[in-house]
Amino acid sequence: MSKIHDYDGPILEIDKLSISFFTRLHEIPAVMDFSVKVAPGEAVGLVGESGCGKSTVALGVMRDLGKNGRIVGGSVKFKGRDMAALTDAELRNLRGNEIAMIYQEPMASLNPAMRIGRQLMEVPMIHEGLSEHESYQRALEVVTDVKLPDPERILRSYPHQLSGGQQQRIVIAMALMSKPSLLILDEPTTALDVTVEAAVVELVKDLGQKYGTSMLFISHNLGLVLETCDRICVMYSGEAVERGDIETVFNNMQHPYTQALFRSIPLPGADKNSRPLVAIPGNFPLPHERPPGCNFGPRCDYFQAGLCDKDDIAMEDVDGDGQHETRCLRFRDIDWSAPITLAETKTKGDIGRVVLKMDNLKKYYEVAANALFGGGEKRVVKANETLSFEARESETLAIVGESGCGKSTFAKVLMGLETATDGEILLDNKNIEQIPIEKRDTKTVADIQMVFQNPFDTLNPSMTVGSQIMRALDIFGIGKNDAERRTRMLELLDLVKLPREFADRMPRQLSGGQKQRVGIARAFAGGARIVVADEPVSALDVSVQAAVTDLLMEIQRNEKTTLLFISHDLSIVRYLSDRVMVMYLGHVVELGSTDEVFSPPYHPYTEALLSAVPIADTHVTKKHIVLEGDIPSAMNPPSGCPFQTRCGWKSRVPGNLCEEEVPPVRQLTPGHQIKCHLSDEELATMEPVIKLGQEAAE
């Protein structure tokens, strides 16, 4: 443990760092004039959109820029030593021993053919020369520290036998094996469920305190940074644009980009009709197309020609004490407290008749118990269990729950990619649950369309954007000839607010947000009446999320679409949905209007989901609930209530009712149903999970 406390200056000191990548033709600057310090035991958040250079900074610290990347200016000092002066052997000793990095995708750091225990033991055996027995004891201690159940069994397991959240904990354990002084976390929770994310973040904070580790936390999630970090550095297009401690930057932001980021995320109180999110106009500049002067200038509300577009802009001290800095020439002229001027207040379309009805839908899969080699007895996976709800014209129904709760299975049955095991799906009072997609008529296929989570996977890389939309029009029988289809395709590009010249572009020439718009245009090609949006914004940056969400809302208003919005991000659900359905392990555990589901009494699982959502607002207080354990397997669900193995309220139900009986569905108020054994008296004692400033003060 001694090495953490043997230095009292900054653990990491990055000063005016510039990093470029070199192609055959030219130099592409990725990071310019970037400075940040991390003090002992401090967590610093590095925030910005994709492509702003956050990960490049981390790789620059690790000296891992590949053969094309080079540091072209500035310095990186670790515990006062200039890392450029270190030999390869010294660098190797530093990496993994004193500086450890945790990546976004846990499986990228784990060897699939090696048991977990062996992978963990390698670290102290290589770096510290410990014996096999000592290394095993250290591995056992760290796996216990990262709160994994049955550590001995985990050490005997292979990576594929663990869930995503467990894999990420193992990667954290591996990083902590040599008790590093600096931990660099690059979006470590992006691929995880919100409840698992909450547990991992809690874990990282506790371990940082226990081991005294300093942290550089890279994220695009402002709420996560608020919950984990002491100070924040906001990046835009390769530069730091604002630096300071968390409270100061969140409550007294002094850069237009920081302000624009906050306006594009759905904080409590935002409303899709009266207080819509404000997307950042324009697009992120490519590294070789940066504007003169301020990089954010072309997208900034406060841009002043002749001033903001002349020379390079340096960081300026806001209060004169060096604690809060901004890269903005006009920060003293801007009225930061001025309310947002809304372009227009949107009016909500009237919710119409029921267009889709599900009644006791069940979807079971039969799988071999020995899935690897087949054979053996058959096991049943109950992916959906008695699912009942209705969806109306112009309504947004959000479907919420963790991975494995059956959200996507139900979407597949609705789309006709799977057929139901039991129960009914009625589209305009016609049964479609047993009709696979290849037997559905063109109108039914066109009526129910899907927008997927990852726009990269759904576009054909060898076809232009226009031809992909025209192909959908052709399949739906729209337009008599190519000329008519081309006209309609251009109208669809207008609908999703893409320039018409994008028709001739290839998918690789588009950003993530632009690809998602093409996916939406294609879904609406046949005049879709029901659109299943499966996590449609989770792979996008926050500023792009606002624009895509707003686009979906606007199309819905004009086309009277029914939107089934599948998500685990409750902030966006609260912002855009009319009703919410909460699913757990194939069951609907709560269903009601958004206001009802977001205020007590809740189902205990809804309560835990709400507590897990990171909120980027210093005036919000949250009840703290961390769910223990992982979601049970649908192949081997618990007896009784599906949630009873993780429920914090179970002790308030008399006897073994929760373990023995599936709770009945009951109506709390007309339209608000819950599946829980808690008595009305117990439910009445529930307090709100999220309190805004005034409520919290009381």
Side-chain angles (χ1 to χ4, degrees):
M1 292 289 283
S2 62
K3 65 182 177 195
I4 289 177
H5 305 296
D6 59 8
Y7 182 75
D8 56 2
I11 294 288
L12 180 70
E13 194 170 1
I14 303 176
D15 188 38
K16 295 190 164 31
L17 180 69
S18 295
I19 298 173
S20 291
F21 289 91
F22 292 85
T23 64
R24 281 198 313 254
L25 301 175
H26 42 178
E27 173 187 348
I28 298 171
V31 173
M32 297 87 68
D33 182 33
F34 179 83
S35 304
V36 78
K37 284 182 187 168
V38 184
E42 180 180 55
V44 174
L46 200 50
V47 174
E49 297 171 272
S50 318
C52 73
K54 309 185 295 287
S55 299
T56 307
V57 168
L59 295 172
V61 171
M62 299 293 276
R63 283 288 189 284
D64 183 18
L65 291 163
K67 57 178 189 287
N68 294 341
R70 279 212 295 281
I71 292 178
V72 293
S75 65
V76 178
K77 288 181 181 169
F78 177 72
K79 292 187 175 177
R81 295 167 70 195
D82 189 342
M83 291 183 68
L86 300 180
T87 64
D88 283 353
E90 287 173 316
L91 266 175
R92 262 199 311 275
N93 185 43
L94 215 56
R95 289 187 197 129
N97 188 18
E98 292 236 34
I99 304 177
M101 187 154 174
I102 295 170
Y103 296 90
Q104 183 167 350
E105 183 46 69
M107 273 313 276
S109 312
L110 296 172
N111 181 338
M114 238 171 127
R115 292 184 196 273
I116 297 290
R118 179 54 58 187
Q119 297 191 51
L120 290 173
M121 287 159 63
E122 273 188 344
V123 181
M125 286 165 80
I126 291 169
H127 285 293
E128 298 172 52
L130 293 189
S131 72
E132 198 156 324
H133 175 71
E134 289 170 312
S135 299
Y136 181 80
Q137 291 308 316
R138 172 86 64 86
L140 205 55
E141 176 199 342
V142 176
V143 170
T144 310
D145 271 350
V146 295
K147 298 191 169 63
L148 279 167
D150 196 354
E152 280 103 344
R153 181 182 65 79
I154 295 276
L155 292 179
R156 289 194 304 274
S157 303
Y158 287 97
H160 71 268
Q161 294 171 306
L162 307 181
S163 69
Q166 289 175 333
Q167 287 170 359
Q168 193 60 290
R169 284 165 189 246
I170 289 297
V171 173
I172 293 170
M174 198 181 285
L176 291 167
M177 279 301 283
S178 55
K179 302 189 166 66
S181 308
L182 176 68
L183 195 52
I184 300 174
L185 301 106
D186 189 359
E187 302 266 14
T189 58
T190 310
L192 304 178
D193 273 315
V194 61
T195 49
V196 182
E197 175 181 81
V200 168
V201 164
E202 177 86 358
L203 172 74
V204 168
K205 274 191 341 204
D206 290 351
L207 294 172
Q209 285 163 356
K210 175 174 177 178
Y211 291 123
T213 314
S214 305
M215 286 189 274
L216 187 62
F217 194 97
I218 297 172
S219 181
H220 65 262
N221 185 327
L222 287 161
L224 263 189
V225 168
L226 172 64
E227 292 190 1
T228 41
C229 299
D230 308 300
R231 288 193 309 120
I232 185 173
C233 174
V234 182
M235 279 188 87
Y236 181 78
S237 190
E239 296 178 322
V241 294
E242 186 160 11
R243 273 195 301 265
D245 70 75
I246 290 278
E247 293 272 331
T248 307
V249 172
F250 275 51
N251 296 334
N252 183 27
M253 54 200 75
Q254 296 289 307
H255 194 281
Y257 176 61
T258 315
Q259 184 188 53
L261 268 185
F262 273 91
R263 287 179 172 179
S264 64
I265 54 177
L267 295 172
D271 176 87
K272 63 182 174 185
N273 297 313
S274 59
R275 282 193 45 209
L277 303 181
V278 181
I280 305 175
N283 286 315
F284 199 78
L286 294 169
H288 54 282
E289 294 175 355
R290 291 191 177 107
C294 175
N295 283 341
F296 188 58
R299 307 175 73 190
C300 179
D301 291 345
Y302 311 105
F303 177 78
Q304 194 174 318
L307 174 70
C308 302
D309 51 6
K310 277 181 70 178
D311 306 310
D312 285 347
I313 296 165
M315 284 295 250
E316 267 194 78
D317 196 340
V318 174
D319 301 316
D321 56 5
Q323 297 301 303
H324 186 188
E325 297 163 290
T326 178
R327 197 182 293 271
C328 177
L329 295 172
R330 303 202 56 214
F331 76 94
R332 296 194 196 285
D333 313 334
I334 295 168
D335 177 3
W336 295 101
S337 59
I340 305 175
T341 50
L342 287 179
E344 54 180 314
T345 301
K346 306 285 200 306
T347 50
K348 172 85 183 92
D350 290 334
I351 291 179
R353 62 190 181 84
V354 172
V355 285
L356 180 73
K357 186 172 182 196
M358 286 208 181
D359 197 20
N360 285 330
L361 181 81
K362 292 183 183 181
K363 177 60 187 172
Y364 294 173
Y365 294 98
E366 233 181 39
V367 294
N370 184 343
L372 194 56
F373 302 108
E377 57 178 304
K378 294 278 196 219
R379 300 281 287 278
V380 172
V381 176
K382 298 182 174 182
N384 286 151
E385 190 69 86
T386 58
L387 212 62
S388 298
F389 70 88
E390 347 184 284
R392 298 174 176 81
E393 189 178 81
S394 292
E395 177 179 52
T396 304
L397 172 67
I399 296 140
V400 179
E402 296 166 282
S403 314
C405 73
K407 309 187 294 282
S408 298
T409 300
F410 124 77
K412 283 179 189 165
V413 177
L414 176 60
M415 298 291 297
L417 301 171
E418 301 273 2
T419 53
T421 307
D422 196 8
E424 291 186 305
I425 302 179
L426 296 166
L427 174 68
D428 298 327
N429 282 328
K430 283 203 317 252
N431 286 70
I432 57 166
E433 70 283 344
Q434 294 301 333
I435 309 174
I437 193 157
E438 60 273 15
K439 295 201 176 140
R440 289 188 176 180
D441 59 64
T442 309
K443 184 176 182 320
T444 306
V445 174
D447 274 350
I448 308 176
Q449 283 292 301
M450 194 155 182
V451 177
F452 295 89
Q453 178 169 4
N454 198 336
F456 314 100
D457 298 342
T458 55
L459 297 179
N460 184 333
S462 58
M463 282 171 79
T464 63
V465 164
S467 54
Q468 299 198 45
I469 298 174
M470 284 170 68
R471 186 162 178 266
L473 290 167
D474 190 19
I475 289 168
F476 297 143
I478 289 170
K480 296 191 188 77
N481 51 37
D482 270 3
E484 283 190 15
R485 280 191 279 277
R486 185 166 178 84
T487 306
R488 176 68 186 139
M489 177 267 293
L490 293 171
E491 287 168 359
L492 284 163
L493 287 179
D494 296 342
L495 178 77
V496 295
K497 297 187 167 51
L498 281 176
R500 287 187 164 200
E501 56 268 25
F502 273 37
D504 302 318
R505 289 200 185 178
M506 303 302 279
R508 65 171 186 276
Q509 296 170 289
L510 272 56
S511 69
Q514 290 165 342
K515 284 181 187 160
Q516 195 57 295
R517 285 165 184 258
V518 175
I520 293 170
R522 209 171 46 177
F524 281 95
R529 293 167 54 221
I530 297 168
V531 170
V532 182
D534 190 357
E535 303 268 13
V537 294
S538 64
L540 306 176
D541 278 315
V542 281
S543 58
V544 184
Q545 278 185 8
V548 171
T549 308
D550 209 38
L551 173 71
L552 278 171
M553 296 289 93
E554 192 169 319
I555 294 175
Q556 181 183 43
R557 270 191 289 271
N558 297 335
E559 309 277 324
K560 296 192 166 27
T561 321
T562 304
L563 195 59
L564 301 181
F565 192 88
I566 298 175
S567 181
H568 67 258
D569 179 348
L570 285 174
S571 336
I572 211 131
V573 162
R574 182 176 202 160
Y575 171 71
L576 62 80
S577 61
D578 301 303
R579 286 192 306 138
V580 180
M581 179 163 97
V582 183
M583 287 185 72
Y584 186 81
L585 214 60
H587 293 258
V588 176
V589 294
E590 185 163 6
L591 174 63
S593 73
T594 307
D595 288 344
E596 287 168 335
V597 171
F598 277 78
S599 49
Y602 327 90
H603 188 280
Y605 177 57
T606 311
E607 183 187 45
L609 279 181
L610 286 170
S611 159
V613 178
I615 297 172
D617 189 339
T618 54
H619 303 104
V620 165
T621 52
K622 274 195 319 183
K623 188 171 170 185
H624 188 67
I625 304 161
V626 172
L627 285 182
E628 295 298 326
D630 285 314
I631 308 170
S633 156
M635 203 187 293
N636 189 16
S639 59
C641 171
F643 187 57
Q644 54 102 348
T645 54
R646 301 167 80 197
C647 181
W649 288 77
K650 188 165 93 169
S651 58
R652 307 190 190 197
V653 175
N656 297 328
L657 197 58
C658 296
E659 287 155 32
E660 290 169 359
E661 284 181 35
V662 176
V665 174
R666 53 194 243 246
Q667 302 286 331
L668 294 180
T669 55
H672 183 197
Q673 66 179 54
I674 189 171
K675 210 177 212 181
C676 183
H677 285 304
L678 282 169
S679 66
D680 290 350
E681 293 75 43
E682 286 290 354
L683 285 170
T685 65
M686 278 195 173
E687 293 178 348
V689 172
I690 297 167
K691 291 183 178 176
L692 295 172
Q694 198 49 47
E695 301 168 286
E698 292 162 13

